[in-house]
Tab-separated table of all heavy atoms in Angstrom:
chain	number	residue	atom	x	y	z
A	1	GLN	N	75.948	-195.982	-26.060
A	1	GLN	CA	76.578	-195.832	-24.762
A	1	GLN	C	76.319	-196.783	-23.827
A	1	GLN	O	75.284	-197.280	-23.694
A	1	GLN	CB	76.293	-194.387	-24.348
A	1	GLN	CG	76.687	-193.237	-25.229
A	1	GLN	CD	76.154	-191.936	-24.736
A	1	GLN	OE1	75.507	-191.858	-23.720
A	1	GLN	NE2	76.571	-190.865	-25.373
A	2	GLU	N	77.403	-197.134	-22.957
A	2	GLU	CA	77.166	-198.092	-21.895
A	2	GLU	C	76.900	-197.430	-20.654
A	2	GLU	O	77.018	-196.168	-20.558
A	2	GLU	CB	78.373	-198.946	-21.773
A	2	GLU	CG	79.600	-198.257	-21.221
A	2	GLU	CD	80.208	-197.309	-22.215
A	2	GLU	OE1	79.958	-197.407	-23.277
A	2	GLU	OE2	81.022	-196.516	-21.696
A	3	SER	N	76.299	-198.151	-19.887
A	3	SER	CA	75.827	-197.555	-18.506
A	3	SER	C	76.146	-198.654	-17.481
A	3	SER	O	76.614	-199.634	-17.601
A	3	SER	CB	74.411	-197.193	-18.554
A	3	SER	OG	73.608	-198.301	-18.744
A	4	SER	N	75.711	-198.251	-16.164
A	4	SER	CA	76.083	-199.154	-15.078
A	4	SER	C	74.979	-199.231	-14.064
A	4	SER	O	74.124	-198.252	-13.921
A	4	SER	CB	77.326	-198.755	-14.354
A	4	SER	OG	77.265	-197.538	-13.797
A	5	GLY	N	74.965	-200.193	-13.236
A	5	GLY	CA	73.895	-200.283	-12.151
A	5	GLY	C	74.418	-200.718	-10.864
A	5	GLY	O	73.816	-200.353	-9.878
A	6	GLY	N	75.450	-201.345	-10.756
A	6	GLY	CA	75.946	-201.639	-9.329
A	6	GLY	C	77.043	-200.792	-9.116
A	6	GLY	O	77.282	-199.778	-9.653
A	7	ALA	N	77.935	-200.994	-7.952
A	7	ALA	CA	79.020	-200.123	-7.613
A	7	ALA	C	80.279	-200.721	-7.843
A	7	ALA	O	80.606	-201.839	-7.356
A	7	ALA	CB	78.840	-199.728	-6.210
A	8	ALA	N	81.219	-199.995	-8.494
A	8	ALA	CA	82.640	-200.376	-8.347
A	8	ALA	C	83.230	-199.536	-7.375
A	8	ALA	O	82.546	-198.999	-6.515
A	8	ALA	CB	83.203	-200.255	-9.776
A	9	SER	N	84.547	-199.315	-7.393
A	9	SER	CA	85.134	-198.398	-6.285
A	9	SER	C	84.896	-196.987	-6.660
A	9	SER	O	85.503	-196.122	-6.297
A	9	SER	CB	86.586	-198.716	-6.227
A	9	SER	OG	87.266	-198.460	-7.486
A	10	GLN	N	83.930	-196.819	-7.614
A	10	GLN	CA	83.627	-195.487	-8.016
A	10	GLN	C	82.445	-194.914	-7.372
A	10	GLN	O	81.698	-195.643	-6.747
A	10	GLN	CB	83.221	-195.577	-9.614
A	10	GLN	CG	82.043	-196.402	-9.844
A	10	GLN	CD	82.301	-197.892	-9.982
A	10	GLN	OE1	83.408	-198.350	-9.433
A	10	GLN	NE2	81.467	-198.695	-10.559
A	11	PRO	N	82.274	-193.545	-7.394
A	11	PRO	CA	81.269	-193.028	-6.743
A	11	PRO	C	79.896	-193.193	-7.413
A	11	PRO	O	79.856	-193.000	-8.626
A	11	PRO	CB	81.564	-191.545	-6.677
A	11	PRO	CG	82.424	-191.362	-7.910
A	11	PRO	CD	83.145	-192.585	-8.027
A	12	GLY	N	78.855	-193.628	-6.618
A	12	GLY	CA	77.525	-193.546	-7.060
A	12	GLY	C	77.132	-194.538	-8.153
A	12	GLY	O	77.898	-195.407	-8.502
A	13	ARG	N	75.917	-194.389	-8.737
A	13	ARG	CA	75.382	-195.348	-9.596
A	13	ARG	C	74.543	-194.568	-10.701
A	13	ARG	O	74.062	-193.457	-10.452
A	13	ARG	CB	74.476	-196.329	-9.068
A	13	ARG	CG	75.227	-197.269	-7.984
A	13	ARG	CD	74.332	-198.003	-7.152
A	13	ARG	NE	75.043	-198.786	-6.177
A	13	ARG	CZ	75.416	-200.013	-6.392
A	13	ARG	NH1	75.043	-200.733	-7.554
A	13	ARG	NH2	76.158	-200.659	-5.528
A	14	PRO	N	74.397	-195.057	-11.859
A	14	PRO	CA	73.761	-194.396	-12.896
A	14	PRO	C	72.168	-194.429	-12.741
A	14	PRO	O	71.705	-195.317	-12.090
A	14	PRO	CB	74.111	-195.089	-14.169
A	14	PRO	CG	74.314	-196.542	-13.728
A	14	PRO	CD	74.933	-196.345	-12.360
A	15	PRO	N	71.421	-193.543	-13.256
A	15	PRO	CA	69.966	-193.480	-13.174
A	15	PRO	C	69.331	-194.495	-14.122
A	15	PRO	O	69.987	-195.024	-14.986
A	15	PRO	CB	69.578	-192.098	-13.549
A	15	PRO	CG	70.672	-191.675	-14.488
A	15	PRO	CD	71.975	-192.350	-13.937
A	16	VAL	N	68.058	-194.834	-13.781
A	16	VAL	CA	67.368	-195.721	-14.694
A	16	VAL	C	66.591	-194.952	-15.733
A	16	VAL	O	65.973	-193.920	-15.476
A	16	VAL	CB	66.338	-196.515	-13.831
A	16	VAL	CG1	65.443	-197.335	-14.650
A	16	VAL	CG2	66.987	-197.466	-12.875
A	17	PRO	N	66.603	-195.269	-16.993
A	17	PRO	CA	66.036	-194.551	-18.018
A	17	PRO	C	64.518	-194.494	-17.844
A	17	PRO	O	63.863	-195.519	-17.444
A	17	PRO	CB	66.320	-195.369	-19.302
A	17	PRO	CG	66.619	-196.844	-18.895
A	17	PRO	CD	67.166	-196.636	-17.486
A	18	GLY	N	63.996	-193.312	-18.214
A	18	GLY	CA	62.582	-193.161	-18.102
A	18	GLY	C	62.061	-192.976	-16.743
A	18	GLY	O	60.890	-192.610	-16.547
A	19	GLY	N	62.844	-193.035	-15.674
A	19	GLY	CA	62.455	-192.858	-14.346
A	19	GLY	C	62.840	-191.624	-13.778
A	19	GLY	O	62.550	-191.309	-12.635
A	20	ALA	N	63.625	-190.802	-14.476
A	20	ALA	CA	64.122	-189.632	-13.855
A	20	ALA	C	63.034	-188.519	-13.716
A	20	ALA	O	62.224	-188.292	-14.627
A	20	ALA	CB	65.316	-189.060	-14.734
A	21	ALA	N	62.986	-187.986	-12.564
A	21	ALA	CA	62.080	-186.933	-12.353
A	21	ALA	C	62.773	-185.606	-12.283
A	21	ALA	O	63.992	-185.589	-12.560
A	21	ALA	CB	61.336	-187.081	-11.032
A	22	ALA	N	62.027	-184.519	-12.130
A	22	ALA	CA	62.705	-183.126	-12.042
A	22	ALA	C	63.778	-183.247	-10.953
A	22	ALA	O	63.607	-183.797	-9.942
A	22	ALA	CB	61.662	-182.141	-11.705
A	23	PRO	N	64.886	-182.506	-11.103
A	23	PRO	CA	65.985	-182.550	-10.110
A	23	PRO	C	65.550	-181.989	-8.807
A	23	PRO	O	64.723	-181.056	-8.714
A	23	PRO	CB	67.085	-181.757	-10.749
A	23	PRO	CG	66.485	-180.984	-11.805
A	23	PRO	CD	65.227	-181.690	-12.255
A	24	ARG	N	66.023	-182.626	-7.705
A	24	ARG	CA	65.746	-182.091	-6.417
A	24	ARG	C	66.424	-180.759	-6.124
A	24	ARG	O	67.308	-180.324	-6.809
A	24	ARG	CB	66.327	-183.019	-5.275
A	24	ARG	CG	65.670	-184.335	-5.281
A	24	ARG	CD	66.170	-185.222	-4.125
A	24	ARG	NE	67.613	-185.360	-4.201
A	24	ARG	CZ	68.163	-186.231	-4.936
A	24	ARG	NH1	67.587	-187.114	-5.635
A	24	ARG	NH2	69.529	-186.319	-4.868
A	25	PRO	N	65.814	-179.879	-5.283
A	25	PRO	CA	66.546	-178.695	-4.911
A	25	PRO	C	67.947	-178.949	-4.543
A	25	PRO	O	68.276	-179.886	-3.858
A	25	PRO	CB	65.625	-178.070	-3.830
A	25	PRO	CG	64.387	-178.729	-3.912
A	25	PRO	CD	64.694	-180.159	-4.425
A	26	ALA	N	68.900	-178.039	-4.989
A	26	ALA	CA	70.222	-178.289	-4.729
A	26	ALA	C	70.507	-178.320	-3.237
A	26	ALA	O	70.317	-177.168	-2.580
A	26	ALA	CB	71.123	-177.191	-5.296
A	27	GLY	N	70.953	-179.437	-2.720
A	27	GLY	CA	71.112	-179.499	-1.313
A	27	GLY	C	72.573	-179.004	-0.817
A	27	GLY	O	73.333	-178.856	-1.657
A	28	GLU	N	72.740	-179.007	0.409
A	28	GLU	CA	74.047	-178.614	0.963
A	28	GLU	C	75.035	-179.805	0.989
A	28	GLU	O	74.523	-180.827	1.350
A	28	GLU	CB	73.864	-177.970	2.282
A	28	GLU	CG	75.022	-177.227	2.707
A	28	GLU	CD	74.700	-176.411	3.989
A	28	GLU	OE1	73.769	-176.764	4.653
A	28	GLU	OE2	75.316	-175.418	4.237
A	29	GLY	N	76.219	-179.728	0.730
A	29	GLY	CA	77.210	-180.659	0.707
A	29	GLY	C	77.524	-181.209	2.038
A	29	GLY	O	77.410	-180.412	3.041
A	30	LEU	N	77.908	-182.469	2.203
A	30	LEU	CA	78.204	-182.967	3.578
A	30	LEU	C	79.401	-182.218	4.117
A	30	LEU	O	79.500	-182.088	5.382
A	30	LEU	CB	78.556	-184.504	3.408
A	30	LEU	CG	78.687	-185.246	4.645
A	30	LEU	CD1	77.520	-185.153	5.486
A	30	LEU	CD2	79.019	-186.711	4.344
């Protein structure tokens, strides 16, 4: 599978492998 690191006109960016920690508590949307 391919992945990405910079931004296109798309939302957000992909995570870095091996660096993911436990997810943060679900925050409130903007």
